[in-house]
Amino acid sequence: EPEVTQTPSHQVTQMGQEVILRCVPISNHLYFYWYRQILGQKVEFLVSFYNNEISEKSEIFDDQFSVERPDGSNFTLKIRSTKLEDSAMYFCASGDSYSYEQYFGPGTRLTVT
Amino acid sequence: GESVGLHLPTLSVQEGDNSIINCAYSNSASDYFIWYKQESGKGPQFIIDIRSNMDKRQGQRVTVLLNKTVKHLSLQIAATQPGDSAVYFCAEIGGGGSNYKLTFGKGTLLTVNP
């Protein structure tokens, strides 16, 4: 069964450093998303991406964040200058154009020290 | 503003019992609701969905009920098994101009005792 994959599973970085989280969505999907989950809290929407552009972003997704689909398979989330409060699980999700269902990857745990 | 929340943060049941997890939402324009299961260390996994024009939808061992009058959503799990132990989130789509952004509730931890 196709699945969304994410790398790395755990990323530790120092405050102020740049990180890139990588995702490989399901191959025939057209809609891509990033969500994050701070420990013990609910999953929060960050950004949606369709047709090579951002279709919606949340207040969390400020100028420090960017997304890119550099080729036909990868979908990345970049945080330019990490802050302590960026520590969270980051989930990538993808969906097709036929249903609202979104398929989530296993997540990347980002720890900012 | 929009919000999706859960009544109970934890639920503990005996194996074989039925479980009911509840969720309240405030946005009457929400047009699609989904229940997700999240096991420890994993991403949310789709369980079942329901459109706002429906009252009930059944899947395998799961049933979702939607009461639009009181803006209440519930997930019923029949014959709960230890493998059902997880955090369950309700989520909604729509109602805010976005077709596909998921707004999640806080989550209910379901523990199934053998």
Side-chain angles (χ1 to χ4, degrees), chain A residues 31 33 35 37 40-43 45 56 89 91 97 99-102 104-106, chain B residues 32 34 36 38 41-44 46 51 89 93 98-102 104-106:
Chain A
Y31 299 87
Y33 311 85
Y35 294 83
Q37 184 179 31
Q41 298 187 22
K42 63 184 181 182
V43 178
F45 169 80
E56 185 169 354
M89 280 289 286
F91 294 105
S97 56
S99 76
Y100 287 117
E101 186 174 348
Q102 294 179 23
F104 283 77
Chain B
Y32 189 73
I34 309 174
Y36 279 90
Q38 187 179 26
K42 297 183 180 180
F46 174 92
R51 291 187 181 272
F89 294 94
I93 286 181
S98 167
N99 287 329
Y100 303 119
K101 178 184 78 173
L102 284 168
F104 283 84
K106 197 172 181 180

Side-chain angles (χ1 to χ4, degrees), chain B residues 3 15-16 20-21 23 25 31 37 47-48 60 73 78 87 92 96 99 103 105:
Chain B
S3 69
E15 182 178 358
I20 299 176
I21 301 171
C23 177
Y25 64 94
D31 53 21
K37 172 185 180 183
I47 301 174
I48 192 168
Q60 188 177 14
L73 191 69
V87 177
E92 62 99 359
N99 287 329
T103 300

